[in-house]
Amino acid sequence: GTRLHAVAEEGVPTRAIAEAIGEVLGIPTVSVTPEQAVEHFGGFIGTFFGMDVRASSAATRAAFDWTPTGPTLLDDIRAGAYTAE
């Protein structure tokens, strides 16, 4: 019943993720208020984007003596790891 996260980083801002995706796709990004996010994306996702939700792998690291390796999320996005090409 334990929930574990396999994240290497904590607190990567949504804005930074959106900017990295925009760079890869060659499209501009703009900053929006939480209210604008709800209006644009709908209630659930828009509200989620406006929250300060941080995942931590501290329990996973402790339970399995695990140290994440590999690129950061932003480096991985910029390398095209999440594109269909």
Side-chain angles (χ1 to χ4, degrees):
T2 302
R3 291 189 174 122
L4 302 170
H5 291 283
V7 297
E9 308 148 279
E10 293 183 35
V12 180
T14 303
R15 178 182 183 140
I17 296 169
E19 288 171 346
I21 293 169
E23 288 173 25
V24 170
L25 297 177
I27 56 175
T29 56
V30 297
S31 183
V32 298
T33 66
E35 295 78 21
Q36 290 170 318
V38 169
E39 184 178 312
H40 181 77
F41 293 108
F44 177 75
I45 294 296
T47 300
F48 178 78
F49 284 147
M51 298 170 69
D52 185 11
V53 180
R54 296 170 185 248
S56 170
S57 63
T60 309
R61 293 174 195 226
F64 297 102
D65 191 29
W66 174 69
T67 302
T69 61
T72 66
L73 174 62
L74 299 179
D75 288 342
D76 212 21
I77 291 170
R78 288 185 180 110
Y82 302 96
T83 61
E85 297 174 20

